Amino acid sequence: ADDPIRGANVFIVGTVRTNEVDNSSDLADFLQQIRSCYNVTVTDMALQDLSPAGVNVMISEALCYSQRLTRSLAGIVHQKTEGNPFFVKEFLNDLTVENLLVYSFSE
């Protein structure tokens, strides 16, 4: 019988914090098994944390304010999140949910 899966392309995206997983983890074992399969390509991509300027761009675009206006907030957010894009997004979301993100014209 014909195997409908044979010859099909599959694209899988997985994420891991490399500082929280060592080579003895279940994920490492799984990746080694995948790499040992015939005709399978695994591409690793390491993403770096955002710089303070990168956090500022992200916040500026999220809030639709100029980077000049978001620079001080970005500095605080970068300090709290160490530039991790996921943490930046979650931190901004938390500020919004708690109604703590308010623009002040006084400064």
Side-chain angles (χ1 to χ4, degrees):
D2 289 331
D3 185 354
I5 302 297
R6 185 174 299 277
N9 293 315
V10 177
F11 181 71
I12 300 172
V13 176
T15 63
V16 65
R17 294 184 186 123
T18 55
N19 61 333
E20 296 178 8
V21 175
D22 60 21
N23 288 334
S24 64
S25 70
D26 291 338
L27 177 63
D29 292 343
F30 174 73
L31 289 174
Q32 187 54 44
Q33 289 176 10
I34 295 295
R35 285 184 174 96
S36 67
C37 291
Y38 174 73
N39 205 20
V40 172
T41 302
V42 175
T43 303
D44 292 321
M45 296 174 59
L47 303 178
Q48 304 300 317
D49 291 333
L50 296 173
S51 66
V55 170
N56 192 29
V57 169
M58 186 174 175
I59 292 173
S60 171
E61 291 181 3
L63 300 180
C64 298
Y65 285 118
S66 75
Q67 291 180 36
R68 181 181 60 78
L69 295 175
T70 58
R71 192 170 293 119
S72 62
L73 174 61
I76 295 167
V77 172
H78 185 269
Q79 185 178 25
K80 295 281 188 189
T81 64
E82 297 180 349
N84 180 310
F86 175 75
F87 294 158
V88 170
K89 178 191 162 299
E90 288 302 304
F91 189 76
L92 289 176
N93 186 57
D94 290 346
L95 291 176
T96 303
V97 167
E98 297 295 327
N99 291 317
L100 297 173
L101 197 55
V102 180
Y103 180 75
S104 172
F105 289 100
S106 63
E107 293 185 27

XYZ file of all heavy atoms in Angstrom:
831
model
N 0.846 -1.181 0.000
C 0.000 0.000 0.000
C 0.889 1.241 0.000
O 1.975 1.254 0.571
C -0.896 0.017 1.221
N 0.367 2.279 -0.657
C 1.104 3.536 -0.704
C 1.022 4.238 0.647
O -0.032 4.298 1.273
C 0.534 4.461 -1.784
C 0.862 3.955 -3.181
O 1.910 3.287 -3.330
O 0.081 4.229 -4.106
N 2.159 4.778 1.060
C 2.223 5.528 2.313
C 2.040 7.011 1.981
O 2.900 7.610 1.342
C 3.573 5.273 2.992
C 3.677 5.925 4.358
O 2.757 6.670 4.740
O 4.692 5.686 5.026
N 0.910 7.633 2.393
C 0.657 9.034 2.042
C 1.648 9.992 2.708
O 1.809 11.124 2.262
C -0.767 9.288 2.547
C -0.977 8.262 3.612
C -0.146 7.072 3.223
N 2.329 9.558 3.753
C 3.282 10.414 4.448
C 4.633 10.433 3.730
O 5.328 11.447 3.720
C 3.472 9.942 5.918
C 2.149 9.942 6.655
C 4.499 10.786 6.637
C 1.515 11.309 6.795
N 4.998 9.338 3.115
C 6.304 9.241 2.461
C 6.430 10.335 1.397
O 5.544 10.531 0.592
C 6.490 7.878 1.819
C 7.886 7.690 1.229
C 8.104 6.278 0.731
N 7.991 5.285 1.787
C 8.973 4.959 2.631
N 10.126 5.578 2.552
N 8.785 4.047 3.546
N 7.500 11.064 1.461
C 7.750 12.125 0.493
C 7.126 13.456 0.868
O 7.332 14.451 0.196
N 6.333 13.471 1.941
C 5.702 14.720 2.373
C 6.724 15.581 3.114
O 7.655 15.080 3.737
C 4.510 14.424 3.277
N 6.550 16.869 3.018
C 7.399 17.799 3.744
C 6.721 18.212 5.031
O 5.525 18.485 5.058
C 7.679 19.052 2.897
C 8.517 18.723 1.687
O 9.486 17.997 1.784
N 8.133 19.247 0.536
N 7.486 18.251 6.096
C 6.978 18.651 7.399
C 7.896 19.726 7.947
O 9.117 19.606 7.877
C 6.933 17.454 8.382
C 6.463 17.905 9.756
C 6.043 16.359 7.840
N 7.292 20.772 8.464
C 8.047 21.878 9.042
C 7.657 21.985 10.505
O 6.501 22.208 10.829
C 7.718 23.172 8.284
C 8.453 24.376 8.772
C 9.813 24.518 8.544
C 7.792 25.386 9.452
C 10.494 25.637 8.977
C 8.460 26.512 9.892
C 9.824 26.630 9.654
N 8.617 21.783 11.387
C 8.361 21.831 12.828
C 9.222 22.940 13.426
O 10.412 23.021 13.155
C 8.706 20.491 13.500
C 7.859 19.366 12.905
C 8.522 20.586 15.010
C 8.257 17.989 13.359
N 8.595 23.771 14.235
C 9.322 24.816 14.945
C 9.238 24.514 16.427
O 8.156 24.319 16.964
C 8.736 26.218 14.656
C 9.444 27.269 15.475
C 8.812 26.535 13.172
N 10.374 24.468 17.064
C 10.419 24.249 18.501
C 11.296 25.308 19.134
O 12.200 25.832 18.493
N 11.003 25.644 20.357
C 11.813 26.633 21.053
C 12.280 26.069 22.382
O 11.606 25.241 22.992
C 11.039 27.934 21.312
O 9.937 27.653 22.168
C 10.543 28.547 20.024
N 13.420 26.547 22.794
C 13.980 26.128 24.073
C 14.905 27.233 24.566
O 15.534 27.930 23.784
C 14.733 24.789 23.943
C 15.944 24.916 23.045
C 15.122 24.253 25.296
N 14.931 27.410 25.851
C 15.892 28.334 26.460
C 17.143 27.519 26.754
O 17.147 26.685 27.661
C 15.315 28.937 27.732
C 14.124 29.812 27.449
C 13.643 30.478 28.736
N 12.429 31.183 28.457
C 11.282 30.974 29.092
N 11.214 30.103 30.069
N 10.207 31.658 28.776
N 18.183 27.752 25.998
C 19.387 26.932 26.119
C 20.021 27.021 27.500
O 20.719 26.099 27.910
C 20.421 27.319 25.051
O 20.688 28.722 25.147
C 19.913 26.993 23.661
N 19.774 28.094 28.222
C 20.340 28.205 29.564
C 19.549 27.375 30.578
O 19.956 27.264 31.727
C 20.404 29.668 30.015
C 19.041 30.320 30.072
O 18.121 29.927 29.362
N 18.893 31.327 30.910
N 18.421 26.788 30.162
C 17.600 25.993 31.070
C 17.563 24.511 30.706
O 16.941 23.722 31.395
C 16.171 26.542 31.096
C 16.078 27.950 31.645
C 14.665 28.499 31.620
O 13.727 27.740 31.317
O 14.506 29.694 31.905
N 18.207 24.128 29.603
C 18.177 22.744 29.139
C 19.614 22.293 28.887
O 20.385 22.993 28.265
C 17.353 22.625 27.827
C 17.427 21.217 27.275
C 15.913 23.022 28.069
N 19.954 21.101 29.387
C 21.294 20.586 29.117
C 21.209 19.446 28.104
O 20.143 19.056 27.662
C 21.994 20.151 30.402
C 21.242 19.040 31.140
O 20.433 18.336 30.512
O 21.481 18.882 32.342
N 22.353 18.902 27.743
C 22.406 17.864 26.712
C 21.832 16.524 27.172
O 21.726 15.608 26.376
C 23.841 17.683 26.222
C 24.281 18.854 25.371
O 23.457 19.522 24.755
N 25.578 19.102 25.334
N 21.480 16.396 28.437
C 20.908 15.141 28.919
C 19.381 15.199 28.996
O 18.750 14.294 29.511
C 21.484 14.805 30.298
O 21.090 15.793 31.235
N 18.782 16.247 28.470
C 17.333 16.411 28.567
C 16.593 15.548 27.548
O 17.174 15.034 26.591
C 16.964 17.875 28.334
O 17.171 18.208 26.977
N 15.300 15.399 27.783
C 14.449 14.673 26.831
C 14.461 15.362 25.474
O 14.442 14.696 24.434
C 13.012 14.589 27.354
C 12.881 13.687 28.572
O 13.750 12.817 28.773
O 11.899 13.857 29.313
N 14.484 16.683 25.476
C 14.518 17.417 24.207
C 15.784 17.102 23.434
O 15.749 16.865 22.224
C 14.397 18.915 24.449
C 14.505 19.780 23.192
C 13.364 19.481 22.224
C 14.522 21.253 23.557
N 16.927 17.072 24.111
C 18.189 16.758 23.445
C 18.140 15.354 22.855
O 18.607 15.130 21.731
C 19.354 16.910 24.412
N 17.563 14.412 23.588
C 17.418 13.041 23.087
C 16.527 13.016 21.848
O 16.839 12.346 20.859
C 16.822 12.120 24.158
C 17.759 11.890 25.334
O 18.971 12.159 25.201
O 17.254 11.455 26.389
N 15.413 13.725 21.904
C 14.492 13.786 20.776
C 15.178 14.372 19.540
O 15.073 13.825 18.441
C 13.261 14.607 21.141
C 12.330 14.848 19.995
C 11.542 13.825 19.492
C 12.245 16.100 19.408
C 10.685 14.044 18.421
C 11.397 16.327 18.343
C 10.613 15.290 17.844
N 15.890 15.480 19.737
C 16.578 16.108 18.604
C 17.637 15.180 18.017
O 17.813 15.132 16.796
C 17.203 17.436 19.027
C 16.226 18.561 19.292
C 16.951 19.783 19.854
C 15.461 18.927 18.029
N 18.334 14.444 18.847
C 19.334 13.493 18.346
C 18.665 12.400 17.522
O 19.174 11.994 16.486
C 20.142 12.891 19.503
C 21.286 12.030 19.037
C 22.210 12.760 18.070
O 22.565 13.916 18.273
N 22.584 12.093 16.998
N 17.509 11.928 17.965
C 16.777 10.913 17.196
C 16.354 11.467 15.842
O 16.455 10.784 14.825
C 15.554 10.429 17.978
C 15.886 9.576 19.172
C 14.643 9.196 19.961
O 13.520 9.406 19.527
N 14.857 8.640 21.149
N 15.864 12.706 15.820
C 15.451 13.334 14.554
C 16.649 13.480 13.630
O 16.574 13.182 12.434
C 14.783 14.706 14.810
C 13.479 14.540 15.584
C 14.565 15.468 13.507
C 12.395 13.799 14.850
N 17.774 13.955 14.180
C 18.981 14.160 13.368
C 19.486 12.849 12.763
O 20.096 12.855 11.709
C 20.082 14.802 14.203
C 19.865 16.265 14.458
C 21.061 16.879 15.210
N 20.903 18.313 15.332
C 20.407 18.929 16.393
N 20.043 18.226 17.451
N 20.286 20.230 16.420
N 19.245 11.730 13.449
C 19.741 10.446 12.958
C 18.835 9.839 11.884
O 19.200 8.834 11.268
C 19.917 9.465 14.116
O 18.661 9.118 14.663
N 17.682 10.425 11.651
C 16.772 9.924 10.617
C 17.350 10.202 9.226
O 18.004 11.214 8.992
C 15.401 10.586 10.725
S 14.478 10.110 12.183
N 17.058 9.322 8.320
C 17.507 9.482 6.942
C 16.734 10.612 6.273
O 15.527 10.724 6.410
C 17.279 8.167 6.170
C 17.578 8.281 4.701
C 18.887 8.356 4.267
C 16.558 8.332 3.772
C 19.183 8.464 2.914
C 16.833 8.438 2.420
C 18.148 8.512 1.999
O 18.442 8.630 0.661
N 17.430 11.447 5.564
C 16.829 12.508 4.741
C 16.043 13.532 5.570
O 14.997 14.005 5.141
C 15.936 11.896 3.657
C 15.791 12.834 2.470
O 16.605 13.735 2.277
N 14.758 12.635 1.688
N 16.526 13.827 6.774
C 15.899 14.832 7.606
C 16.923 15.925 7.874
O 18.058 15.650 8.246
C 15.407 14.239 8.948
C 14.932 15.332 9.886
C 14.304 13.224 8.702
N 16.510 17.147 7.665
C 17.383 18.284 7.918
C 16.893 19.021 9.155
O 15.720 19.360 9.256
C 17.382 19.260 6.717
O 17.803 18.555 5.558
C 18.302 20.434 6.965
N 17.790 19.238 10.096
C 17.487 20.001 11.299
C 18.352 21.255 11.269
O 19.561 21.173 11.104
C 17.775 19.189 12.585
C 17.563 20.050 13.816
C 16.917 17.939 12.626
N 17.711 22.396 11.401
C 18.434 23.661 11.418
C 18.244 24.320 12.771
O 17.120 24.547 13.201
C 17.915 24.609 10.307
O 18.042 23.951 9.046
C 18.693 25.907 10.287
N 19.344 24.565 13.447
C 19.298 25.259 14.733
C 19.485 26.748 14.497
O 20.333 27.156 13.703
C 20.418 24.770 15.658
C 20.215 23.335 16.101
O 19.067 22.959 16.362
O 21.224 22.602 16.176
N 18.699 27.532 15.167
C 18.823 28.986 15.087
C 18.877 29.523 16.509
O 17.963 29.278 17.287
C 17.629 29.597 14.352
C 17.507 29.185 12.914
S 15.992 29.790 12.138
C 16.176 31.533 12.332
N 19.936 30.222 16.827
C 20.067 30.809 18.158
C 19.674 32.280 18.083
O 20.236 33.039 17.294
C 21.494 30.665 18.658
N 18.694 32.649 18.861
C 18.249 34.035 18.898
C 18.836 34.715 20.117
O 18.819 34.158 21.213
C 16.723 34.105 18.929
C 16.001 33.419 17.778
C 14.494 33.538 17.965
C 16.421 34.008 16.450
N 19.338 35.904 19.928
C 19.935 36.658 21.022
C 18.893 37.559 21.670
O 17.878 37.896 21.066
C 21.100 37.507 20.493
C 22.170 36.706 19.776
C 22.807 35.660 20.672
O 23.114 35.940 21.825
N 22.960 34.452 20.163
N 19.170 37.970 22.880
C 18.305 38.935 23.540
C 18.400 40.272 22.818
O 19.400 40.570 22.165
C 18.716 39.108 25.005
C 18.423 37.865 25.829
O 17.498 37.117 25.469
O 19.122 37.660 26.836
N 17.360 41.072 22.936
C 17.353 42.391 22.312
C 18.242 43.353 23.096
O 18.316 43.286 24.325
C 15.932 42.942 22.279
C 14.913 42.177 21.444
C 13.519 42.749 21.666
C 15.282 42.215 19.977
N 18.872 44.246 22.372
C 19.633 45.324 22.996
C 18.638 46.343 23.555
O 17.441 46.303 23.225
C 20.513 46.002 21.945
O 19.685 46.659 20.987
N 19.098 47.283 24.379
C 18.190 48.337 24.829
C 17.538 49.076 23.646
O 16.340 49.380 23.703
C 19.095 49.266 25.638
C 20.160 48.354 26.167
C 20.402 47.366 25.047
N 18.294 49.311 22.595
C 17.733 49.970 21.411
C 16.681 49.086 20.743
O 15.655 49.574 20.254
C 18.841 50.322 20.419
N 16.920 47.779 20.705
C 15.951 46.849 20.125
C 14.660 46.791 20.920
O 13.565 46.732 20.355
N 14.786 46.819 22.246
C 13.598 46.863 23.101
C 12.841 48.158 22.842
O 11.605 48.170 22.768
C 13.975 46.732 24.598
C 12.779 47.011 25.496
C 14.543 45.348 24.885
N 13.560 49.249 22.662
C 12.917 50.535 22.396
C 12.135 50.493 21.082
O 11.013 50.988 21.009
C 13.942 51.668 22.382
C 13.287 53.026 22.400
O 12.193 53.198 22.934
N 13.933 54.003 21.805
N 12.715 49.893 20.058
C 12.003 49.763 18.777
C 10.728 48.943 18.969
O 9.653 49.321 18.495
C 12.906 49.120 17.699
C 12.106 48.732 16.469
C 14.039 50.064 17.322
N 10.844 47.843 19.692
C 9.676 46.974 19.919
C 8.570 47.721 20.658
O 7.397 47.655 20.276
C 10.125 45.743 20.717
C 9.078 44.693 20.900
S 9.814 43.247 21.704
C 8.352 42.244 21.945
N 8.938 48.443 21.708
C 7.952 49.189 22.491
C 7.378 50.340 21.679
O 6.165 50.575 21.685
C 8.570 49.690 23.808
C 8.862 48.489 24.711
C 7.660 50.687 24.504
C 9.621 48.838 25.962
N 8.215 51.030 20.954
C 7.775 52.146 20.124
C 6.728 51.691 19.110
O 5.693 52.331 18.938
C 8.984 52.763 19.413
O 8.580 53.702 18.451
N 7.003 50.567 18.468
C 6.059 50.048 17.474
C 4.789 49.519 18.134
O 3.693 49.689 17.607
C 6.731 48.971 16.627
C 7.792 49.569 15.716
C 8.478 48.544 14.838
O 8.113 47.345 14.879
O 9.398 48.947 14.101
N 4.913 48.894 19.294
C 3.736 48.352 19.978
C 2.807 49.453 20.466
O 1.584 49.311 20.416
C 4.174 47.479 21.159
N 3.391 50.564 20.918
C 2.581 51.646 21.483
C 2.255 52.749 20.472
O 1.502 53.670 20.798
C 3.309 52.261 22.685
C 3.613 51.317 23.843
C 4.339 52.059 24.959
C 2.350 50.659 24.356
N 2.857 52.666 19.288
C 2.651 53.672 18.236
C 3.098 55.067 18.696
O 2.423 56.064 18.449
C 1.209 53.697 17.766
S 0.663 52.139 17.032
N 4.213 55.098 19.411
C 4.855 56.351 19.812
C 6.264 56.379 19.228
O 6.837 55.330 18.939
C 4.956 56.473 21.341
C 3.664 56.790 22.036
C 3.123 55.910 22.950
C 2.990 57.979 21.792
C 1.937 56.187 23.608
C 1.798 58.271 22.445
C 1.278 57.376 23.348
O 0.108 57.655 23.990
N 6.817 57.565 19.098
C 8.178 57.674 18.579
C 9.154 57.054 19.577
O 8.883 56.996 20.783
C 8.545 59.131 18.317
O 8.794 59.796 19.535
N 10.290 56.623 19.070
C 11.314 56.025 19.926
C 11.822 57.022 20.961
O 12.226 56.632 22.055
C 12.465 55.494 19.080
C 12.065 54.289 18.256
C 13.203 53.759 17.421
O 14.347 53.779 17.844
N 12.880 53.280 16.232
N 11.779 58.292 20.630
C 12.195 59.322 21.583
C 11.294 59.293 22.821
O 11.757 59.434 23.944
C 12.148 60.703 20.913
C 12.593 61.849 21.802
C 12.488 63.183 21.081
N 11.138 63.505 20.640
C 10.172 63.974 21.437
N 10.402 64.181 22.707
N 8.976 64.261 20.959
N 9.996 59.069 22.622
C 9.041 59.057 23.733
C 9.062 57.755 24.538
O 8.637 57.737 25.690
C 7.623 59.321 23.225
C 7.370 60.692 22.613
C 5.962 60.767 22.048
C 7.589 61.786 23.657
N 9.532 56.676 23.934
C 9.500 55.387 24.631
C 10.857 54.987 25.220
O 10.963 53.959 25.879
C 9.019 54.269 23.685
O 9.893 54.198 22.549
C 7.592 54.504 23.229
N 11.868 55.804 24.995
C 13.230 55.437 25.407
C 13.357 55.158 26.911
O 13.958 54.167 27.319
C 14.221 56.514 24.980
C 15.674 56.092 25.106
C 16.635 57.081 24.458
N 16.445 57.071 23.003
C 16.053 58.151 22.292
N 15.840 59.305 22.873
N 15.901 58.050 20.987
N 12.778 55.998 27.754
C 12.920 55.783 29.206
C 12.182 54.519 29.642
O 12.693 53.751 30.466
C 12.455 57.003 29.992
O 11.093 57.261 29.753
N 10.989 54.278 29.096
C 10.254 53.051 29.399
C 11.054 51.839 28.912
O 11.163 50.841 29.629
C 8.872 53.064 28.749
C 8.063 51.774 28.873
C 7.783 51.435 30.328
C 6.763 51.895 28.078
N 11.632 51.945 27.741
C 12.403 50.829 27.182
C 13.590 50.486 28.072
O 13.932 49.306 28.236
C 12.874 51.165 25.770
N 14.215 51.496 28.655
C 15.333 51.238 29.555
C 14.911 50.425 30.764
O 15.597 49.474 31.175
N 13.779 50.772 31.325
C 13.252 50.033 32.485
C 12.863 48.615 32.081
O 13.191 47.645 32.766
C 12.039 50.777 33.086
C 12.484 52.117 33.659
C 11.336 49.923 34.134
C 11.342 53.058 33.993
N 12.168 48.502 30.948
C 11.723 47.188 30.479
C 12.930 46.301 30.169
O 12.951 45.111 30.504
C 10.782 47.315 29.265
C 10.473 45.958 28.662
C 9.497 48.031 29.672
N 13.959 46.860 29.541
C 15.158 46.074 29.229
C 15.811 45.586 30.517
O 16.236 44.425 30.609
C 16.148 46.892 28.395
C 17.326 46.077 27.957
N 18.473 46.000 28.709
C 17.512 45.290 26.865
C 19.332 45.204 28.096
N 18.774 44.754 26.982
N 15.879 46.446 31.502
C 16.483 46.064 32.776
C 15.696 44.921 33.432
O 16.281 43.978 33.959
C 16.520 47.278 33.700
C 17.228 47.054 35.006
C 17.265 48.317 35.849
O 16.426 49.208 35.715
N 18.236 48.396 36.726
N 14.364 44.983 33.370
C 13.515 43.961 34.001
C 13.526 42.630 33.242
O 13.406 41.570 33.847
C 12.070 44.455 34.090
C 11.881 45.652 34.981
C 11.847 45.238 36.418
C 11.471 46.423 37.290
N 11.640 46.118 38.699
N 13.639 42.693 31.904
C 13.490 41.497 31.070
C 14.797 40.970 30.502
O 14.805 39.908 29.877
C 12.558 41.798 29.880
O 13.186 42.787 29.049
C 11.199 42.273 30.337
N 15.870 41.714 30.686
C 17.174 41.388 30.111
C 17.114 41.259 28.588
O 17.913 40.569 27.978
C 17.755 40.121 30.742
C 18.016 40.259 32.227
C 18.590 39.018 32.861
O 18.621 37.947 32.214
O 18.997 39.122 34.028
N 16.125 41.898 27.984
C 16.027 41.917 26.530
C 15.372 40.703 25.905
O 15.334 40.574 24.679
N 14.835 39.799 26.701
C 14.153 38.632 26.153
C 12.852 39.110 25.504
O 11.975 39.631 26.195
C 13.865 37.623 27.272
C 13.167 36.376 26.796
O 12.166 36.444 26.089
N 13.681 35.234 27.194
N 12.702 38.938 24.168
C 11.524 39.471 23.473
C 10.196 38.963 24.031
O 9.241 39.716 24.121
C 11.710 39.014 22.025
C 13.161 38.746 21.893
C 13.627 38.296 23.245
N 10.141 37.691 24.418
C 8.906 37.147 24.990
C 8.583 37.843 26.306
O 7.449 38.227 26.558
C 9.030 35.635 25.199
C 7.835 35.033 25.884
C 6.651 34.841 25.185
C 7.874 34.681 27.226
C 5.532 34.308 25.811
C 6.772 34.144 27.861
C 5.601 33.955 27.152
N 9.599 38.034 27.145
C 9.382 38.696 28.430
C 8.997 40.155 28.229
O 8.193 40.697 28.999
C 10.611 38.586 29.320
C 10.932 37.179 29.772
C 12.209 36.859 30.177
C 9.970 36.181 29.808
C 12.525 35.578 30.607
C 10.266 34.897 30.230
C 11.559 34.594 30.634
N 9.581 40.807 27.215
C 9.215 42.201 26.916
C 7.727 42.271 26.598
O 6.994 43.093 27.141
C 10.048 42.775 25.743
C 9.500 44.121 25.289
C 11.516 42.901 26.141
N 7.274 41.381 25.719
C 5.864 41.356 25.323
C 4.972 41.098 26.535
O 3.970 41.785 26.738
C 5.634 40.284 24.264
C 4.196 40.137 23.823
C 4.031 38.884 22.993
C 2.604 38.453 22.890
N 1.953 38.119 24.146
N 5.336 40.115 27.347
C 4.524 39.774 28.519
C 4.524 40.905 29.547
O 3.500 41.192 30.163
C 5.027 38.475 29.151
C 4.704 37.249 28.324
C 3.215 37.073 28.081
O 2.449 37.013 29.064
O 2.815 37.004 26.908
N 5.674 41.554 29.727
C 5.761 42.660 30.676
C 4.856 43.802 30.238
O 4.096 44.358 31.041
C 7.216 43.117 30.796
C 7.465 44.105 31.897
C 7.525 43.696 33.213
C 7.654 45.445 31.612
C 7.769 44.599 34.239
C 7.890 46.363 32.621
C 7.948 45.939 33.938
N 4.895 44.144 28.949
C 4.022 45.201 28.423
C 2.551 44.805 28.563
O 1.714 45.640 28.904
C 4.345 45.497 26.960
C 5.649 46.211 26.683
C 5.864 46.352 25.182
C 5.682 47.570 27.357
N 2.258 43.543 28.300
C 0.887 43.066 28.441
C 0.424 43.198 29.888
O -0.687 43.665 30.153
C 0.781 41.610 27.974
C -0.642 41.130 27.962
O -1.494 41.722 27.315
N -0.912 40.062 28.688
N 1.280 42.807 30.823
C 0.926 42.920 32.243
C 0.684 44.375 32.637
O -0.265 44.681 33.359
C 2.022 42.324 33.128
C 2.103 40.806 33.024
O 1.153 40.190 32.482
O 3.117 40.245 33.472
N 1.548 45.278 32.168
C 1.364 46.700 32.463
C 0.025 47.202 31.929
O -0.664 47.986 32.584
C 2.505 47.530 31.869
C 3.889 47.368 32.484
C 4.907 48.181 31.702
C 3.892 47.761 33.949
N -0.328 46.726 30.741
C -1.582 47.145 30.112
C -2.788 46.597 30.872
O -3.736 47.340 31.169
C -1.625 46.683 28.641
O -0.493 47.212 27.958
C -2.887 47.152 27.952
N -2.749 45.326 31.198
C -3.858 44.687 31.918
C -4.087 45.355 33.267
O -5.225 45.549 33.697
C -3.593 43.169 32.080
C -4.547 42.542 33.083
C -3.687 42.475 30.739
N -3.005 45.732 33.914
C -3.109 46.365 35.237
C -3.326 47.881 35.146
O -3.316 48.568 36.159
C -1.839 46.081 36.052
C -1.598 44.618 36.345
C -2.661 44.005 37.234
O -3.194 44.708 38.109
O -2.972 42.809 37.046
N -3.537 48.383 33.945
C -3.729 49.819 33.700
C -2.587 50.674 34.262
O -2.795 51.757 34.792
C -5.070 50.311 34.275
C -6.236 49.752 33.508
O -6.218 49.699 32.281
N -7.248 49.314 34.229
N -1.376 50.160 34.144
C -0.201 50.868 34.638
C 0.575 51.570 33.525
O 1.532 52.276 33.797
C 0.732 49.886 35.364
C 0.156 49.239 36.610
C 1.098 48.176 37.138
C -0.141 50.297 37.673
N 0.132 51.386 32.298
C 0.822 51.979 31.166
C 0.031 53.202 30.701
O -0.958 53.094 30.002
C 0.927 50.948 30.037
C 1.925 51.211 28.938
C 3.323 51.420 29.479
C 1.930 50.060 27.957
N 0.490 54.370 31.145
C -0.206 55.625 30.860
C 0.815 56.656 30.397
O 1.892 56.781 30.981
C -0.922 56.149 32.130
C -1.648 57.461 31.835
C -1.894 55.118 32.664
N 0.485 57.374 29.344
C 1.378 58.409 28.847
C 1.145 59.692 29.606
O 0.009 60.133 29.797
C 1.164 58.631 27.343
C 2.082 59.699 26.788
C 3.418 59.418 26.580
C 1.609 60.971 26.517
C 4.280 60.379 26.085
C 2.455 61.943 26.019
C 3.784 61.646 25.810
O 4.631 62.601 25.331
N 2.222 60.317 30.040
C 2.135 61.570 30.785
C 2.707 62.692 29.931
O 3.839 62.624 29.476
C 2.915 61.476 32.095
O 2.968 62.746 32.703
N 1.942 63.749 29.719
C 2.401 64.890 28.941
C 3.301 65.828 29.759
O 3.902 66.724 29.230
C 1.208 65.712 28.403
C 0.465 65.010 27.315
C -0.722 64.349 27.581
C 0.944 65.018 26.024
C -1.418 63.700 26.580
C 0.264 64.366 24.999
C -0.925 63.711 25.286
N 3.395 65.598 31.047
C 4.111 66.538 31.927
C 5.616 66.478 31.748
O 6.306 67.391 32.153
C 3.761 66.271 33.388
O 4.184 64.971 33.751
N 6.149 65.399 31.154
C 7.608 65.308 31.022
C 8.032 65.486 29.597
O 7.462 65.087 28.684
C 8.104 63.971 31.559
C 7.900 63.873 33.051
C 8.502 62.609 33.620
O 9.463 62.093 33.042
O 8.011 62.166 34.648
